[in-house]
Structures are given as C-alpha cells and as structure tokens.
Amino acid sequence: MKADLVYEGKAKKVYQAEGRPGELVLSYKNDATAFNGKKKESFEGKGELNNSISTLIFQKLHKSGIETHFIEKLNDTEQLVVQTEIIPLEVVVRNIASGSIAKRLGIEEKTIFEKPIIEFYYKDDALGDPLINDEHALYVTTITEAEISEVKQKALQINHQLLELFQSIGITLVDFKLEFGRKACGDIVLADEISPDTCRLWDRATGEKLDKDVFRQGNGDLIEVYNEILQRLEAKA
Ligand code: C5P
C-alpha cells in the first residue's frame, strides 16, 4: 500500500498511499524522543501500541461526530489517512497543571484549571517549538482568524470526549497535544495522532504516570504503561 516516502518525523514516517490519490500511510516508529530530540531511545513494540491506541481514540472521536484524517488501521504499525497539509501549530489543551506550564508560570503541579487552557506552539524544531499567541499564529501559518476560533472550539470538543473516555477507564487526562491539517477542499480536520506520546495520563487510583513522562523522567517502563492504556481502551471498546 506504501509508495514514496513523503516525510519522516520523530515518531512516524508518512508515505503516499499506492494507487490512492489524496491518501497517506502513517507508519508508527518505535523511537521515543524528548527535550526537542536531545533524548532518544527505541522501544520494541511502541509503534504497534501507539498505532492501536490512536486508532481506538480516533474511532471514538468519529462516533462522537468529530471529523479527523483517520480512515482505517492497515496493519500492526500502519494507518491509512486522508492527505492534509499540516498546519505547523501544536495545540495543547490543559486540564491540570503539569510539565512546561507549571515551570513557566510557577503553578503548582496538579493544580486543577477551572476552565481548560488552550495554548499554541509553533511547530519548528530549529526554534524549539516556541509558545506563541493567536497573532503570531496568523503571521507564521496560513491559518485565518475564523479558523483559529474553529480550532479552539474543536480542541475543546475533543477534550470533552477524551475526558469522558479516559475517566471511564480510570484515567485522569491531564493535558494533550493536537495537530490539525488542511484537506484539499480547504477544510481543517484533526490530524496526526493521539497516544501516550502526546497526552499526560495519570491513573486515577494511584496517580501513576501512564504516558511518555516515564521516558522523559526515566522512572518507569514505557512499554508496560503504554500497554496498560491499550488494554484498558480495548476492554472498553
Ligand atoms: O511539555 P508540555 O507540558 O508543554 O506538554 C504538554 C502536552 O503536550 C503533554 O501531554 C505533552 O506530551 C504534549 N506534547 C507533545 N509534543 C510536543 C510537546 C508537547 O505531544 N512537541
């Protein structure tokens, strides 16, 4: 199903889909990176886990009426998706303070935000993905003012669905990152992946971290915790 390699990122490769114009194959890699690529390691089985987890989450979003680029899971490590032009914005939604916001603003870890906080980061490795505001986003990307509102509204809808999903499997959704892409017709849809690489997920009962922070902080078994997320999602599906 794969033809030419279109793009290789830190966690995925993107290929043109053979004989299917306007569609792409996403191939999940086993690599994990953190701190803007400064820490890097490969974990046997990570690609399969994230492919399966992201598939279940995108299917859940579809059922809730949220349009995404996802078409179908092809095999252990690959998905078929609609080709989009990725808007170089990382859209972060935060329900609880952790990670960079706690550090930057001196907010105590685990502080619950009454209203989710949405942030934009400019997706640019050379610049270290800086935090930007709406005006910057208008300047450095092709996004319009109306689309910024649309993206924020979609991010909140997705947060609502994900909070419900994770709560039902005993997990607190602390924060997560989304990426949006522009389809050939111009519409913007959710793209990329949603997985423990892109979310902070804490066990509700024990507070245990079940996400990429175990790799960032070097205090847990990445495959074990990602597998725990998949098992719980599969039991629910
Ligand atoms: O590091 P920070 O606290 O800003 O991360 C917020 C959320 O966005 C976390 O869930 C993290 O995993 C995710 N993120 C990501 N890719 C990045 C930066 C952050 O998935 N490049």
Side-chain angles (χ1 to χ4, degrees):
M1 174 67 76
K2 288 185 305 227
D4 295 345
L5 180 70
V6 179
Y7 173 79
E8 177 159 6
K10 297 191 195 89
K12 290 185 293 298
K13 287 184 185 174
V14 183
Y15 298 88
Q16 211 71 56
E18 178 104 70
R20 299 182 69 117
E23 295 179 5
L24 299 172
V25 174
L26 292 194
S27 175
Y28 284 74
K29 305 199 290 188
N30 286 333
D31 297 343
T33 61
F35 313 119
N36 200 19
K38 286 187 203 88
K39 182 172 180 175
K40 188 173 171 183
E41 213 175 305
S42 187
F43 295 90
E44 188 65 39
K46 172 175 173 285
E48 269 180 53
L49 287 165
N50 275 356
N51 185 29
S52 298
I53 292 168
S54 200
T55 292
L56 289 171
I57 293 175
F58 275 75
Q59 284 171 339
K60 151 86 183 165
L61 292 176
H62 281 186
K63 276 193 202 134
S64 321
I66 294 167
E67 197 191 349
T68 80
H69 73 156
F70 180 83
I71 300 173
E72 62 173 328
K73 185 177 175 199
L74 295 171
N75 55 47
D76 283 352
T77 55
E78 294 175 340
Q79 303 177 349
L80 188 66
V81 302
V82 175
Q83 180 158 21
T84 64
E85 187 197 320
I86 293 291
I87 295 163
L89 285 182
E90 298 194 335
V91 180
V92 169
V93 181
R94 301 182 186 270
N95 296 304
I96 297 177
S98 189
S100 69
I101 197 170
K103 230 168 129 183
R104 184 184 318 110
L105 301 180
I107 302 170
E108 196 177 340
E109 282 263 340
K110 301 188 187 166
T111 302
I112 297 170
F113 297 124
E114 224 170 273
K115 193 169 156 269
I117 291 178
I118 301 179
E119 297 173 337
F120 290 151
Y121 293 83
Y122 181 34
K123 206 169 135 68
D124 185 311
D125 282 341
L127 298 176
D129 299 341
L131 176 69
I132 60 171
N133 66 21
D134 295 11
E135 309 291 326
H136 298 136
L138 286 173
Y139 186 77
V140 297
T141 76
T142 59
I143 204 161
T144 65
E145 222 158 328
E147 286 169 345
I148 287 182
S149 303
E150 187 189 327
V151 159
K152 286 184 183 172
Q153 199 194 334
K154 283 186 179 168
L156 291 177
Q157 274 173 9
I158 293 163
N159 187 40
H160 184 77
Q161 295 301 326
L162 295 186
L163 278 169
E164 197 180 86
L165 173 67
F166 283 113
Q167 179 164 6
S168 74
I169 57 169
I171 286 167
T172 302
L173 175 65
V174 174
D175 59 30
F176 56 96
K177 183 262 306 179
L178 302 173
E179 291 183 27
F180 291 84
R182 195 184 292 286
K183 294 199 297 184
C185 64
D187 290 354
I188 287 181
V189 294
L190 180 68
D192 197 53
E193 67 175 287
I194 300 179
S195 73
D197 268 10
T198 64
C199 303
R200 285 198 172 90
L201 304 168
W202 295 348
D203 184 88
R204 283 171 81 85
T206 65
E208 189 192 353
K209 292 180 176 175
L210 302 173
D211 58 60
K212 200 164 97 173
D213 270 351
V214 301
F215 167 68
R216 293 188 187 98
Q217 298 166 359
N219 58 4
D221 182 330
L222 180 143
I223 293 297
E224 211 172 276
V225 303
Y226 282 33
N227 195 42
E228 176 68 26
I229 297 291
L230 178 60
Q231 296 310 313
R232 291 197 204 182
L233 284 172
E234 277 180 341
K236 172 83 189 161

